[in-house]
């Protein structure tokens, strides 16, 4: 007997093709309508640039233009695999099928072969039709034969992989709904589990700064890659080979498991008894994490309530899993398993709370730190330090928030120690500290940093040349490489002032560098509202924006001397009136004015207008009832303007403005 005869049965393959041809036909019809038919209809408008680009993107399954194709790839192979092996979900169908004079190898391989033919044939036919159109119509000007082959190859690869994953999952369950659900859960679980763990550890472990899944890893799953439209960034020739190998491996393992699968597993959510504990405690663990994360997001860092969420979620997950496995509501007798799980989790939570591993209080020796990152965006550190990849992040200047000066590193370590002394503080900005150690290892933490509270430590860091070079690229930028400088006040209808002459650019940039280098800690952390911005565009088209702060006296004086200042900045006399508005909540509304939702006051006094323009205070979260919206109306250069800013009732104000604000109560 030949290998082909041993593995495949022609009659069984033909039977599958005859029974499920309609799935393949429906898939093929959809592809023909989405691609060739659509291309022919839209081809007459190919002169339209947008239409041309849309047609080109339709052959890229990773683009947003191919959303329907992605849906088909993620559903049709799943439906077909479930239909082909649905007999495993019915005890009588299993008995009849396994009574045939065919071994299980032949049964599995025949069904799998029929499924691959049914799923790949529509792709090949559609690709052939596209080739004909490409050769005989003007569509060849929009895309090439190579584009068609790439589309056909990727579509076939993703469809085959989805089919093989579904077949693999089907060997471990005897329930149709579970078969479909487990297929998608298998692909979403790695990313979802990391997100759940990351979110919970941030609530439980002070300073935890999980980097999550690497960008490439999360997109290695076909469902996530297609849904996220990031394939062009991460899909390479190596990924294609890995996908092909994975498809073969899934089918090979599925075939082996099929030989071991007990016939009586039909109808069971989990086919193998050895996997049932994995399913049961897996569901329990994931539900526990989800509930804990929910309670933390709703009630904040209330540890008792988070623990209650863990208890509630784990109990719900455990009982649900037991009901599914037993197919009965009588599951209370299984309490011993939950008690054992609760004991293990309790020990784990106690260990986290007492920091048995020393994670929370681990601070490096500054002499063993070669580089330190201190900034708000951990992705900068991941791309530049861990992956050494500045192109993917699109960073235009080196040294973003990195410190190598030993004095700065010592101050960052000192700040780290001070933050550990007050672990309950949630005030300030979220900042990351990432150390690169001499041995090549990394230590990463995430904290809330109140700049005013830790001013004595942050002052030498912020005023250092190294910090200013990282925060203000203009300090190291060559003026000869600057194309233009644009200065604009975002509040007014005045146009921007644009400097294009080299002498003016050099003068302005030199003064800006001087002001930045002279800026004090107070200037850099000032809570004043920024309204005037300087945009510097280099000869490559890259741009960086800087706020024109009150402390930049040299730049301000230069603008005034040149006569530009008046053409840019808003002056109080240019504002005609200000409307102050405070939203009233239901408990504040009077019973005789049920439809009233806001109180308004109009201000025309010049002194009050000037104060409303300049008033500032702590930029902290304000409760909605304390917020006042100030809308300014005026006219400059013959054109009307309007802008809005938010005022906190707790900010210090003059007596006159205070009396005005009381009218909003």
């Amino acid at each position: 007997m030949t290998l082909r005869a041993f593995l495949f049965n022609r009659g069984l393959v033909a039977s599958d093709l005859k029974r499920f041809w309609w799935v393949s036909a429906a898939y093929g019809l959809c592809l023909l309508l989405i691609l060739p038919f659509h291309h022919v209809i839209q081809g007459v408008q190919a002169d339209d640039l947008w239409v041309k680009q849309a047609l080109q993107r339709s052959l890229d399954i990773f683009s947003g233009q191919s959303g329907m194709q992605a849906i088909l790839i993620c559903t049709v192979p799943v439906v077909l695999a479930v239909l082909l092996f649905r007999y495993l979900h019915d005890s009588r169908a299993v008995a009849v099928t396994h009574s045939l004079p065919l071994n299980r190898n032949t049964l599995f391989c025949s069904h799998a072969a029929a499924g691959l033919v049914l799923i790949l044939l529509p792709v090949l036919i559609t690709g052939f039709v596209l080739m004909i159109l490409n050769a005989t119509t003007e569509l060849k000007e929009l895309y090439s034969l190579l584009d068609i082959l790439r589309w056909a190859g990727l579509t076939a690869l993703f469809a085959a992989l989805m089919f093989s994953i579904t077949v693999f999952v089907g060997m471990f369950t005897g329930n149709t709904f579970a078969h479909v659900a487990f297929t998608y859960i298998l692909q979403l679980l790695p990313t979802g589990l990391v997100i759940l763990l990351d979110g919970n550890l941030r609530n439980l472990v002070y300073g935890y700064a999980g980097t999550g899944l690497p960008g490439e890893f999360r997109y290695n799953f076909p469902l996530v890659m297609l849904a996220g439209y990031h394939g062009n960034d991460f899909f390479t020739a190596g990924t294609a080979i890995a996908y092909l190998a994975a498809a073969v491996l899934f089918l090979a393992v599925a075939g082996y498991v099929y030989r071991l699968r007990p016939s009586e597993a039909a109808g069971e959510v989990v086919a193998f008894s050895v996997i049932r504990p994995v399913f049961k405690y897996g569901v329990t663990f994931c539900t526990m994490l989800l509930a804990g994360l929910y309670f933390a997001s709703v009630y904040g860092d209330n540890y008792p309530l988070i623990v209650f969420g863990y208890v509630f979620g784990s109990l719900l997950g455990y009982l649900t899993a037991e009901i599914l496995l037993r197919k009965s509501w009588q599951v209370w007798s299984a309490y011993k398993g939950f008690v054992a799980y609760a004991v293990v989790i309790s020990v784990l939570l106690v260990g986290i709370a007492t920091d048995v591993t020393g994670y929370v209080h681990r601070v490096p020796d500054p002499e063993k730190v070669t580089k330190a990152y201190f900034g708000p965006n951990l992705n900068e550190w991941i791309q530049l330090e861990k992956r050494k990849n500045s192109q993917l992040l699109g960073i235009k200047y080196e040294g973003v928030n990195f410190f190598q000066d030993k004095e700065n590193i010592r101050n960052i370590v000192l700040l780290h120690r001070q933050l550990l002394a007050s672990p309950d503080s949630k005030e300030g900005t979220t900042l990351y500290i990432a150390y690169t150690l001499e041995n090549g290892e990394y230590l990463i933490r995430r904290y809330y940093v109140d700049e005013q509270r830790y001013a004595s430590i942050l002052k030498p860091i912020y005023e250092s040349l190294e910090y200013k070079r990282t925060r203000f690229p203009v300090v190291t930028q060559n003026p000869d490489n600057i194309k233009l400088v644009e200065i604009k006040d975002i509040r007014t209808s005045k146009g921007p002032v644009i400097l294009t002459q080299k002498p003016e650019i050099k003068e302005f940039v030199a003064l800006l560098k001087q002001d930045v280098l002279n800026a004090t800690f107070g200037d850099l952390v000032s809570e004043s509202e920024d309204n005037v911005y300087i945009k510097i565009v280099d000869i490559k088209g890259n741009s960086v924006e800087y706020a024109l702060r009150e402390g930049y006296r040299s730049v301000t004086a230069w603008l005034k001397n040149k006569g530009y200042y008046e053409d840019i900045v808003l002056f109080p006399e240019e504002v005609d009136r200000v409307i102050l508005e405070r939203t009233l909540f239901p408990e504040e509304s009077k019973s005789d004015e049920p439809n009233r939702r806001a109180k308004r006051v109009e201000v025309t006094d010049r002194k009050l207008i000037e104060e409303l323009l300049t008033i500032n205070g702590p930029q902290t979260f304000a409760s909605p009832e304390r917020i006042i919206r100030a809308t300014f109306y005026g006219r400059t250069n013959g054109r009307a303007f309007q802008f809005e800013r938010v005022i906190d009732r707790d900010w210090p104000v003059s007596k006159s403005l205070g009396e005005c604000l009381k009218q909003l109560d």
Side-chain angles (χ1 to χ4, degrees):
M1 179 181 291
T2 63
L3 180 64
R4 184 177 63 178
F6 177 75
L7 294 179
F8 304 100
N9 180 272
R10 184 180 302 174
L12 191 57
V13 173
S15 175
D16 285 339
L17 296 177
K18 187 181 298 183
R19 292 169 59 203
F20 302 116
W21 66 268
W22 56 272
V23 178
S24 183
Y27 182 37
L29 181 61
C30 289
L31 288 180
L32 290 171
L33 289 174
I34 293 171
L35 291 172
F37 180 78
H38 180 70
H39 288 189
V40 171
I41 297 299
Q42 293 292 319
V44 297
Q45 304 178 39
D47 291 337
D48 188 316
L49 181 60
W50 186 88
V51 173
K52 181 179 179 179
Q53 292 175 343
L55 292 176
Q56 292 170 339
R57 289 196 301 268
S58 67
L59 289 180
D60 180 5
I61 63 173
F62 300 126
S63 72
Q65 196 69 30
S66 303
M68 183 55 67
Q69 292 183 59
I71 292 173
L72 292 173
I73 291 173
C74 294
T75 55
V76 175
V78 175
V79 171
L80 185 58
V82 170
L83 290 174
L84 283 166
F85 289 92
R86 192 173 182 276
Y87 67 91
L88 294 176
H89 307 155
D90 184 88
S91 56
R92 284 188 290 184
V94 170
V96 170
T97 303
H98 289 172
S99 66
L100 296 174
L102 300 171
N103 61 42
R104 292 201 178 190
N105 279 332
T106 303
L107 287 170
F108 178 84
C109 291
S110 298
H111 290 311
L116 289 173
V117 170
L118 289 170
I119 206 65
L120 297 180
L121 189 59
V123 179
L124 297 177
I125 293 174
T126 304
F128 182 68
V129 173
L130 286 171
M131 290 180 188
I132 294 175
L133 291 175
N134 183 260
T136 59
T137 69
E138 295 181 354
L139 291 174
K140 58 177 169 288
E141 298 177 3
L142 302 180
Y143 48 79
S144 64
L145 180 62
L146 186 62
D147 294 327
I148 297 172
L149 293 176
R150 183 177 185 272
W151 169 85
L154 288 178
T155 303
L157 179 61
F158 273 83
L161 182 57
M162 287 294 297
F163 176 80
S164 63
I165 291 174
T166 310
V167 172
F168 169 79
V169 170
M171 300 304 107
F172 294 91
T173 182
N175 182 279
T176 301
F177 295 107
H179 190 174
V180 175
F182 291 168
T183 297
Y184 293 113
I185 289 173
L186 177 65
Q187 299 181 66
L188 298 175
L189 183 62
T191 301
L193 190 58
V194 168
I195 292 173
L196 287 174
L197 284 170
D198 189 73
N200 280 273
L201 287 175
R202 286 193 178 191
N203 294 319
L204 297 174
V205 182
Y206 180 62
Y208 175 78
T211 56
L213 287 171
E216 291 87 348
F217 178 75
R218 73 177 66 184
Y219 297 121
N220 279 345
F221 301 92
L223 183 64
V224 180
M225 184 177 285
L226 289 171
Y229 304 128
H230 292 284
N232 286 325
D233 296 328
F234 301 107
F235 199 88
T236 63
T239 310
I241 294 172
Y243 269 34
L244 184 60
V248 174
L249 182 62
F250 274 121
L251 288 176
V253 174
Y256 175 76
V257 174
Y258 181 66
R259 297 209 312 265
L260 304 177
R261 178 190 170 98
S263 298
E264 58 271 18
E268 300 291 340
V269 173
V270 179
F272 294 91
S273 57
V274 70
I275 301 178
R276 292 189 174 193
V278 177
F279 169 77
K280 178 168 60 178
Y281 291 111
V283 171
T284 304
F285 185 65
C286 289
T287 311
M288 179 193 76
L289 292 178
L290 184 61
L293 195 59
Y294 170 77
F295 274 80
S297 64
V298 173
Y299 300 106
D301 297 324
N302 190 319
Y303 193 75
L305 280 176
I306 293 176
V307 172
F308 172 77
Y310 287 147
V311 174
F312 174 78
S314 58
L315 183 60
L316 178 64
Y318 185 84
L319 293 176
T320 302
E322 282 288 355
I323 291 171
L324 292 173
L325 290 173
R326 297 191 180 198
K327 295 185 288 186
S328 169
W329 293 94
Q330 306 298 321
V331 295
W332 293 106
S333 60
Y335 70 92
K336 293 181 180 179
F338 180 76
V339 171
Y341 172 85
V343 169
V344 172
I345 295 299
S346 298
V347 171
L348 185 62
L349 289 176
V350 170
I352 291 174
T354 56
D355 191 28
V356 294
T357 64
Y359 176 93
V360 173
H361 294 89
R362 190 173 298 132
V363 181
D365 181 347
E367 300 304 319
K368 295 182 179 180
V369 177
T370 60
K371 186 187 296 184
Y373 172 86
F374 181 56
N377 185 1
L378 188 61
N379 192 44
E380 289 179 344
W381 176 84
I382 293 173
Q383 299 296 345
L384 288 175
E385 179 63 19
K386 196 171 183 180
R387 299 186 191 170
K388 313 297 183 185
N389 185 0
S390 61
Q391 292 183 349
L392 184 61
L393 188 62
I395 289 178
K396 307 174 185 65
Y397 302 96
E398 295 182 358
V400 177
N401 292 307
F402 283 98
F403 298 89
Q404 292 180 292
D405 181 80
K406 284 299 180 181
E407 187 61 30
N408 281 331
I409 290 175
R410 280 191 284 271
N411 282 317
I412 291 172
V413 172
L414 177 61
L415 173 67
H416 189 171
R417 296 185 189 280
Q418 291 294 319
L419 289 167
L420 292 177
S422 54
D424 297 327
S425 175
K426 294 294 182 182
E427 296 180 356
T429 306
T430 300
L431 295 174
Y432 292 89
I433 301 175
Y435 304 102
T436 302
L437 306 179
E438 287 180 343
N439 58 8
E441 295 182 354
Y442 303 113
L443 193 151
I444 312 164
R445 296 294 184 266
R446 172 182 175 270
Y447 299 107
Y448 289 97
V449 179
D450 186 339
E451 292 176 321
Q452 299 299 334
R453 180 176 182 178
Y454 299 103
S456 61
I457 302 174
L458 292 174
K459 186 177 188 295
I461 299 175
Y462 282 22
E463 292 183 354
S464 69
L465 178 61
E466 189 176 35
Y467 175 81
K468 290 179 179 179
R469 281 176 176 173
T470 63
R471 181 169 172 180
F472 303 97
V474 70
V475 172
T476 56
Q477 197 170 9
N478 186 346
D480 292 329
N481 294 329
I482 295 176
K483 181 181 179 181
L484 61 89
V485 177
E486 179 180 299
I487 309 108
K488 178 176 175 58
D489 189 327
I490 60 174
R491 299 171 296 179
T492 77
S493 57
K494 297 178 179 180
V497 167
I498 301 176
L499 309 179
T500 58
Q501 299 299 317
K502 285 295 181 182
E504 279 195 330
I505 290 177
K506 288 183 178 181
E507 282 183 41
F508 182 85
V509 170
L511 293 172
L512 180 59
K513 287 181 182 180
Q514 178 183 326
D515 283 338
V516 168
L517 293 175
N518 292 336
T520 64
F521 174 78
D523 294 330
L524 296 173
V525 299
S526 172
E527 294 178 332
S528 61
E529 194 172 274
D530 297 322
N531 297 302
V532 182
Y533 287 90
I534 303 164
K535 181 164 73 172
I536 297 179
V537 183
D538 64 20
I539 55 178
K540 294 182 179 179
N542 300 319
S543 64
V544 180
E545 279 196 353
Y546 307 92
L548 179 59
R549 298 177 179 272
E550 292 181 4
Y552 292 178
R553 296 179 179 85
S554 299
V555 169
T556 303
W558 185 88
L559 291 172
K560 289 180 178 179
N561 290 335
K562 290 286 185 177
Y564 295 145
Y565 193 78
E566 293 76 11
D567 297 333
I568 301 170
V569 178
L570 174 69
F571 292 93
E573 55 268 22
E574 295 173 328
V575 178
D576 297 329
R577 60 193 176 96
V578 182
I579 301 297
L580 301 177
E581 179 180 300
R582 187 174 79 89
T583 301
L584 290 178
F585 291 86
E587 60 272 17
E588 298 180 278
S589 299
K590 298 179 181 179
S591 57
D592 59 340
E593 295 178 329
N595 296 324
R596 190 172 183 182
R597 290 292 178 268
K599 276 191 174 183
R600 295 181 180 87
V601 173
E602 182 174 337
V603 178
T604 56
D605 183 88
R606 286 289 152 201
K607 290 185 178 180
L608 293 183
I609 290 176
E610 183 173 356
E611 184 176 359
L612 288 169
L613 280 172
T614 57
I615 182 176
N616 277 296
Q619 301 296 319
T620 56
F621 174 79
S623 57
E625 62 271 13
R626 306 298 297 171
I627 289 177
I628 296 174
R629 299 192 179 278
T631 305
F632 296 77
Y633 298 88
R635 181 174 295 274
T636 58
N637 298 333
R639 291 181 295 175
F641 69 85
Q642 170 187 335
F643 72 92
E644 183 181 283
R645 64 173 307 205
V646 174
I647 296 172
D648 191 332
R649 284 295 299 269
D650 295 327
W651 288 355
V653 298
S654 66
K655 183 178 180 180
S656 299
L657 183 57
E659 292 295 327
C660 182
L661 296 179
K662 284 183 180 179
Q663 299 179 45
L664 297 171
D665 293 334

